[in-house]
Amino acid sequence: MGERDEVVEYRQERYRPPAGAVTVLLVRHGASRAARADAPFPLVGGHADPELAAEGHAQAERVCARLAGERLDAVYVTTLRRTAQTAAPLVRRLGIEPRVEADLREVHLGAWEGGLFRRMVAEDAPEARRLWAEERWDVIPGAEPNEALAARVRRGIDRIAAAHPGGRVAVFTHGGVIAQALSLAAGARPLAFLGTDNCSISELVVIGERWSVRRFNDTAHLDGPGDGALT
């Protein structure tokens, strides 16, 4: 190499989405009110529709304060009010109207809707143990098959991505839906990503039919002073 030959260096750089890719921030709703046998949750379209608990509203304020600093082209919610209630502080700050994506509503739990799912899991019912072992929602009588859930989650995400090419959107949705979306992106087991925390942020990058997981269960905004009340 001569004295005048230029030395080319190739450095590591931060990730940047490819041109035209859509970044989808999947935000789980805040904690909803406690389930009680004597006060079942109301149903909307067959799905339980509890309101946020007090701690859920506090969580919503924190996640929305964090998202307010992001560049967002749209905010989406589902047909269930806990997502709209969680997104409310953000849409107020941004002065925009949230869009509704019905296909990203929570998995239908059949006979365990209305709050019974929480009880059956807490009591470690045989059907609950079988659900975790087989990783199939339709172990529950009348519940949604995995294949049906996967199809509608893909439809919903694809519809959002098509509406915002090259954009960045926040989608306030549900734990079962986030688990399914990330499973589709990663080619993972059906329930591998189940268990996101309330008001956590997970991130997908959508490039046509290719989805990539960029973030899972980010709760940094829920840590710090007073975080004990939010866990």
Side-chain angles (χ1 to χ4, degrees):
M1 181 181 295
E3 292 182 1
R4 296 183 180 179
D5 290 342
E6 181 181 356
V7 177
V8 180
E9 294 183 336
Y10 302 93
R11 299 179 180 274
Q12 292 183 320
E13 297 182 358
R14 293 194 65 177
Y15 172 84
R16 294 181 182 178
V22 183
T23 298
V24 181
L25 303 178
L26 297 168
V27 185
R28 189 182 176 199
H29 60 80
S32 56
R33 75 167 173 87
R36 290 173 40 180
D38 64 342
F41 300 145
L43 301 181
V44 169
H47 293 256
D49 191 34
E51 70 274 16
L52 290 187
E55 62 267 30
H57 285 288
Q59 292 164 340
E61 290 289 346
R62 290 194 178 194
V63 71
C64 290
R66 182 175 180 186
L67 291 173
E70 299 266 1
R71 177 186 69 80
L72 294 173
D73 298 293
V75 174
Y76 283 82
V77 297
T78 77
T79 55
L80 302 174
R81 60 178 164 173
R82 54 196 182 275
T83 62
Q85 290 175 340
T86 304
L90 179 61
V91 299
R92 283 198 301 267
R93 288 177 185 229
L94 299 181
I96 63 174
E97 189 70 22
R99 309 185 189 193
V100 176
E101 177 47 70
D103 272 338
L104 298 185
R105 65 194 180 279
E106 184 59 291
V107 57
H108 185 251
L109 297 172
W112 289 8
E113 284 289 357
L116 183 58
F117 177 82
R118 295 189 195 178
R119 174 185 165 189
M120 299 297 275
V121 170
E123 295 180 355
D124 196 27
E127 297 94 333
R129 292 199 300 271
R130 186 181 161 206
L131 188 160
W132 307 136
E134 298 183 17
E135 299 198 40
R136 293 199 61 86
W137 293 108
D138 57 3
V139 165
I140 302 169
E144 189 170 13
N146 287 16
E147 297 79 6
L149 175 65
R152 69 172 170 88
V153 168
R154 181 170 288 281
R155 281 197 310 270
I157 297 291
D158 283 346
R159 194 156 39 236
I160 289 171
H164 305 281
R168 189 174 180 85
V169 301
V171 179
F172 289 77
T173 183
H174 308 269
V177 168
I178 293 170
Q180 182 63 73
L182 299 183
S183 175
L184 287 169
R189 301 187 336 268
L191 303 188
F193 291 96
L194 193 65
T196 50
D197 292 312
N198 292 112
C199 280
S200 63
I201 302 172
S202 298
E203 182 176 340
L204 284 180
V205 174
V206 179
I207 312 164
E209 295 184 358
R210 291 169 46 212
W211 298 6
S212 298
V213 180
R214 288 291 303 162
R215 194 178 353 169
F216 171 63
N217 201 48
D218 178 357
T219 58
H221 47 283
L222 301 180
D223 299 331
D227 63 335
L230 299 178
T231 55

